[in-house]
Coordinates of all heavy atoms in Angstrom, one line a residue:
R95 N 143.7 140.4 40.4 CA 144.5 139.6 39.6 C 146.0 139.8 40.0 O 146.5 140.9 40.0 CB 144.4 139.9 38.1 CG 145.1 139.0 37.1 CD 144.5 137.6 37.0 NE 143.1 137.6 36.7 CZ 142.6 137.6 35.4 NH1 143.5 137.7 34.4 NH2 141.4 137.5 35.2
W96 N 146.7 138.7 40.3 CA 148.1 138.7 40.7 C 148.9 138.9 39.4 O 148.7 138.3 38.4 CB 148.6 137.5 41.4 CG 147.8 137.4 42.7 CD1 146.8 136.6 43.0 CD2 148.2 138.1 43.9 NE1 146.4 136.8 44.3 CE2 147.2 137.7 44.9 CE3 149.1 139.1 44.3 CZ2 147.3 138.2 46.2 CZ3 149.2 139.6 45.6 CH2 148.2 139.2 46.5
L97 N 149.8 139.8 39.5 CA 150.6 140.2 38.3 C 151.9 139.3 38.2 O 153.0 139.8 38.5 CB 150.9 141.7 38.3 CG 149.8 142.6 38.4 CD1 150.2 144.1 38.5 CD2 148.9 142.4 37.1
S98 N 151.7 138.2 37.7 CA 152.8 137.2 37.6 C 152.5 136.3 36.4 O 151.5 136.4 35.7 CB 152.8 136.3 38.9 OG 151.7 135.4 39.0
E99 N 153.5 135.3 36.2 CA 153.3 134.3 35.2 C 152.2 133.3 35.5 O 151.7 132.6 34.7 CB 154.6 133.6 34.9 CG 155.7 134.5 34.4 CD 157.0 133.8 34.2 OE1 157.6 133.5 35.3 OE2 157.5 133.6 33.1
T100 N 151.8 133.3 36.8 CA 150.7 132.4 37.2 C 149.7 133.3 38.0 O 149.6 133.2 39.2 CB 151.2 131.3 38.1 OG1 152.0 131.8 39.2 CG2 152.1 130.3 37.3
P101 N 149.0 134.2 37.3 CA 148.1 135.1 38.0 C 147.0 134.5 38.8 O 146.4 135.2 39.7 CB 147.6 136.0 36.9 CG 147.8 135.2 35.6 CD 149.0 134.3 35.9
E102 N 146.6 133.3 38.6 CA 145.6 132.6 39.3 C 146.0 132.1 40.7 O 145.2 131.7 41.5 CB 145.0 131.5 38.5 CG 145.9 130.3 38.4 CD 147.0 130.4 37.3 OE1 147.0 131.5 36.6 OE2 147.8 129.5 37.3
I103 N 147.4 132.1 40.9 CA 147.9 131.6 42.1 C 148.1 132.8 43.1 O 148.8 133.7 42.9 CB 149.3 130.9 41.9 CG1 149.0 129.7 41.0 CG2 149.9 130.5 43.3 CD1 150.3 128.9 40.8
H104 N 147.5 132.6 44.3 CA 147.5 133.7 45.3 C 149.0 134.1 45.7 O 149.8 133.2 46.0 CB 146.7 133.2 46.6 CG 146.8 134.2 47.7 ND1 146.0 135.4 47.7 CD2 147.5 134.2 48.8 CE1 146.3 136.0 48.8 NE2 147.2 135.4 49.5
A105 N 149.2 135.4 45.7 CA 150.4 136.0 46.1 C 151.6 135.5 45.3 O 152.8 135.4 45.8 CB 150.7 135.7 47.6
S106 N 151.4 135.1 44.1 CA 152.5 134.7 43.2 C 153.3 135.9 42.7 O 152.7 137.0 42.5 CB 152.0 133.8 42.1 OG 151.0 134.5 41.3
K107 N 154.5 135.7 42.4 CA 155.4 136.7 41.8 C 156.3 136.1 40.8 O 156.7 134.9 40.9 CB 156.1 137.5 42.9 CG 157.1 136.7 43.7 CD 157.8 137.6 44.7 CE 158.9 136.8 45.5 NZ 159.7 137.7 46.3
S108 N 156.8 136.9 39.8 CA 157.7 136.5 38.8 C 158.6 137.6 38.4 O 158.5 138.7 38.9 CB 156.9 136.1 37.5 OG 155.9 135.1 37.8
W109 N 159.6 137.2 37.6 CA 160.5 138.2 37.0 C 161.4 139.0 38.0 O 161.7 140.1 37.7 CB 159.8 139.2 36.0 CG 158.9 138.5 35.1 CD1 159.2 137.8 34.0 CD2 157.4 138.6 35.1 NE1 158.1 137.3 33.3 CE2 156.9 137.9 34.0 CE3 156.5 139.3 35.9 CZ2 155.6 137.7 33.7 CZ3 155.2 139.2 35.6 CH2 154.7 138.4 34.5
G110 N 161.6 138.4 39.1 CA 162.4 139.1 40.2 C 161.7 140.2 40.9 O 162.3 141.0 41.6
S111 N 160.4 140.1 40.9 CA 159.5 141.1 41.7 C 159.8 141.0 43.2 O 159.9 139.9 43.7 CB 158.1 140.9 41.4 OG 157.3 141.9 42.1
A112 N 160.1 142.1 43.8 CA 160.4 142.1 45.2 C 159.3 141.6 46.1 O 159.5 140.9 47.1 CB 160.8 143.5 45.7
F113 N 158.0 141.9 45.7 CA 156.8 141.5 46.4 C 155.8 141.0 45.3 O 155.9 141.3 44.2 CB 156.2 142.6 47.2 CG 157.1 143.3 48.2 CD1 157.6 144.5 48.0 CD2 157.4 142.6 49.4 CE1 158.4 145.1 49.0 CE2 158.1 143.2 50.3 CZ 158.7 144.4 50.1
P114 N 154.9 140.2 45.8 CA 153.7 139.9 44.9 C 152.9 141.2 44.6 O 152.7 141.9 45.6 CB 152.8 138.9 45.8 CG 153.8 138.3 46.8 CD 154.8 139.4 47.1
R115 N 152.6 141.4 43.4 CA 151.9 142.6 43.0 C 150.6 142.3 42.5 O 150.4 141.2 41.8 CB 152.8 143.4 42.0 CG 154.1 143.9 42.5 CD 153.9 144.9 43.5 NE 155.2 145.5 43.9 CZ 155.3 146.6 44.8 NH1 154.2 147.1 45.3 NH2 156.5 147.0 45.1
L116 N 149.6 143.2 42.6 CA 148.2 142.9 42.4 C 147.6 144.1 41.6 O 148.0 145.2 41.7 CB 147.5 142.8 43.7 CG 146.1 142.3 43.7 CD1 146.1 140.8 43.4 CD2 145.4 142.5 45.1
A117 N 146.7 143.7 40.7 CA 145.8 144.7 40.1 C 144.3 144.4 40.6 O 144.0 143.2 40.8 CB 145.8 144.6 38.6
T118 N 143.5 145.4 40.8 CA 142.2 145.3 41.2 C 141.3 146.1 40.3 O 141.7 147.1 39.8 CB 142.0 145.7 42.7 OG1 140.7 145.3 43.1 CG2 142.2 147.2 42.9
W119 N 140.1 145.6 40.0 CA 139.2 146.3 39.0 C 137.7 146.2 39.5 O 137.4 145.4 40.3 CB 139.3 145.7 37.7 CG 139.0 144.2 37.6 CD1 139.8 143.1 37.9 CD2 137.7 143.6 37.4 NE1 139.2 141.9 37.8 CE2 137.8 142.2 37.5 CE3 136.5 144.1 37.1 CZ2 136.8 141.3 37.3 CZ3 135.4 143.3 36.9 CH2 135.6 141.9 37.0
A120 N 137.0 147.2 39.0 CA 135.5 147.2 39.3 C 134.8 147.7 38.1 O 135.1 148.7 37.5 CB 135.2 148.0 40.5
S121 N 133.7 147.0 37.7 CA 132.8 147.5 36.7 C 131.7 148.3 37.5 O 131.1 147.8 38.4 CB 132.1 146.4 35.9 OG 133.0 145.6 35.2
C122 N 131.5 149.6 37.0 CA 130.7 150.5 37.8 C 129.7 151.2 36.9 O 129.7 151.3 35.7 CB 131.6 151.6 38.4 SG 133.0 151.0 39.4
T123 N 128.6 151.7 37.6 CA 127.6 152.5 37.0 C 127.5 153.8 37.8 O 127.5 153.9 39.0 CB 126.2 151.8 37.1 OG1 126.3 150.6 36.3 CG2 125.1 152.7 36.6
I124 N 127.4 154.9 37.0 CA 127.1 156.2 37.6 C 125.6 156.2 37.8 O 124.8 156.2 36.8 CB 127.6 157.4 36.7 CG1 129.1 157.3 36.6 CG2 127.1 158.7 37.4 CD1 129.6 158.3 35.6
R125 N 125.1 156.3 39.0 CA 123.7 156.2 39.4 C 122.8 157.2 38.6 O 121.7 156.8 38.1 CB 123.5 156.2 40.9 CG 124.1 155.1 41.7 CD 123.8 155.3 43.2 NE 124.4 154.3 44.0 CZ 124.0 153.0 44.2 NH1 122.9 152.6 43.6 NH2 124.7 152.2 45.0
A126 N 123.3 158.4 38.5 CA 122.4 159.5 38.0 C 122.2 159.3 36.5 O 121.1 159.8 36.0 CB 123.0 160.9 38.3
T127 N 123.1 158.7 35.8 CA 123.0 158.7 34.4 C 122.9 157.3 33.8 O 122.6 157.1 32.6 CB 124.2 159.4 33.7 OG1 125.4 158.6 34.1 CG2 124.4 160.8 34.2
G128 N 123.3 156.3 34.6 CA 123.3 154.9 34.1 C 124.5 154.6 33.2 O 124.6 153.6 32.6
S129 N 125.5 155.5 33.2 CA 126.7 155.3 32.4 C 127.6 154.3 33.1 O 127.8 154.4 34.3 CB 127.5 156.7 32.3 OG 126.7 157.7 31.7
N130 N 128.1 153.4 32.3 CA 129.0 152.3 32.8 C 130.4 152.5 32.5 O 130.7 153.1 31.4 CB 128.5 150.9 32.3 CG 127.1 150.6 32.8 OD1 126.7 150.9 33.8 ND2 126.4 149.9 31.9
F131 N 131.3 152.1 33.3 CA 132.8 152.2 33.0 C 133.5 151.2 33.9 O 133.0 150.6 34.9 CB 133.3 153.6 33.3 CG 133.2 154.0 34.8 CD1 134.3 153.8 35.6 CD2 132.0 154.5 35.4 CE1 134.3 154.2 37.0 CE2 132.0 154.9 36.7 CZ 133.1 154.7 37.5
L132 N 134.7 150.9 33.5 CA 135.6 150.0 34.2 C 136.7 150.8 34.8 O 137.4 151.6 34.2 CB 136.3 149.0 33.3 CG 137.2 148.0 34.0 CD1 136.3 146.8 34.6 CD2 138.2 147.3 33.0
F133 N 136.9 150.6 36.2 CA 137.9 151.3 36.9 C 138.9 150.3 37.4 O 138.5 149.3 38.0 CB 137.4 152.1 38.1 CG 138.4 152.9 38.8 CD1 138.6 154.3 38.4 CD2 139.1 152.4 39.9 CE1 139.5 155.1 39.1 CE2 140.0 153.2 40.6 CZ 140.2 154.5 40.2
A134 N 140.2 150.5 37.1 CA 141.2 149.5 37.5 C 142.4 150.3 38.2 O 142.6 151.4 38.0 CB 141.8 148.8 36.3
N135 N 143.0 149.6 39.2 CA 144.0 150.2 40.0 C 145.1 149.2 40.2 O 144.9 148.0 40.4 CB 143.4 150.5 41.4 CG 144.3 151.1 42.4 OD1 145.4 151.7 42.0 ND2 144.1 150.9 43.6
V136 N 146.4 149.7 40.2 CA 147.5 148.8 40.2 C 148.7 149.4 40.9 O 148.8 150.6 41.0 CB 147.9 148.4 38.7 CG1 148.5 149.6 38.0 CG2 148.8 147.2 38.6
H137 N 149.6 148.5 41.3 CA 150.8 148.9 41.9 C 151.9 148.0 41.4 O 152.0 146.8 41.8 CB 150.8 148.9 43.5 CG 151.9 149.6 44.2 ND1 152.1 149.6 45.5 CD2 153.0 150.3 43.7 CE1 153.2 150.3 45.8 NE2 153.7 150.7 44.7
L138 N 152.8 148.5 40.5 CA 153.9 147.7 39.9 C 155.1 147.6 40.9 O 155.2 148.5 41.8 CB 154.3 148.2 38.6 CG 153.2 148.3 37.5 CD1 153.8 148.6 36.1 CD2 152.4 147.0 37.4
D139 N 155.9 146.7 40.6 CA 157.1 146.5 41.5 C 158.0 147.7 41.5 O 158.2 148.4 40.5 CB 157.9 145.2 41.1 CG 158.9 144.8 42.1 OD1 158.4 144.4 43.2 OD2 160.1 144.7 41.8
H140 N 158.7 147.9 42.6 CA 159.6 149.0 42.8 C 161.0 148.7 42.6 O 161.9 149.6 42.6 CB 159.4 149.7 44.1 CG 159.9 148.8 45.3 ND1 159.4 147.6 45.5 CD2 160.8 149.0 46.2 CE1 160.0 147.0 46.6 NE2 160.9 147.9 47.0
V141 N 161.4 147.4 42.3 CA 162.8 147.0 42.3 C 163.1 146.6 40.8 O 164.1 147.1 40.2 CB 163.1 145.9 43.3 CG1 164.5 145.4 43.0 CG2 163.0 146.5 44.7
S142 N 162.4 145.6 40.3 CA 162.8 144.9 39.1 C 162.1 145.6 37.8 O 160.9 145.5 37.7 CB 162.4 143.5 39.1 OG 162.6 142.8 37.9
A143 N 162.9 146.1 37.0 CA 162.5 146.6 35.7 C 161.8 145.5 34.8 O 160.8 145.7 34.2 CB 163.6 147.3 34.9
E144 N 162.4 144.3 34.9 CA 161.9 143.2 34.1 C 160.5 142.8 34.7 O 159.6 142.5 33.9 CB 162.8 142.0 34.2 CG 162.3 140.8 33.5 CD 163.2 139.5 33.6 OE1 164.2 139.6 34.4 OE2 162.8 138.5 33.1
A145 N 160.3 142.9 36.0 CA 159.0 142.6 36.6 C 158.0 143.6 36.1 O 156.8 143.2 35.8 CB 159.1 142.6 38.1
R146 N 158.3 144.9 36.1 CA 157.4 145.9 35.7 C 156.9 145.7 34.3 O 155.7 145.9 33.9 CB 157.9 147.3 35.9 CG 158.1 147.7 37.3 CD 158.4 149.2 37.5 NE 159.7 149.5 37.0 CZ 160.8 149.5 37.6 NH1 160.8 149.0 38.9 NH2 161.9 149.8 37.1
I147 N 157.8 145.2 33.4 CA 157.4 144.9 32.0 C 156.5 143.7 32.0 O 155.4 143.8 31.3 CB 158.7 144.7 31.2 CG1 159.5 145.9 31.1 CG2 158.3 144.1 29.8 CD1 160.9 145.7 30.4

Side-chain angles (χ1 to χ4, degrees):
R95 183 71 56 86
W96 296 99
L97 301 177
S98 72
E99 294 175 293
T100 53
E102 72 283 354
I103 297 178
H104 175 76
S106 57
K107 62 178 184 174
S108 304
W109 310 292
S111 183
F113 300 108
R115 295 293 186 173
L116 191 73
T118 188
W119 60 272
S121 297
C122 304
T123 294
I124 299 175
R125 294 184 184 276
T127 64
S129 302
N130 296 328
F131 64 97
L132 182 81
F133 186 88
N135 177 30
V136 70
H137 192 184
L138 300 191
D139 195 61
H140 68 300
V141 172
S142 170
E144 181 184 0
R146 290 191 292 275
I147 292 170

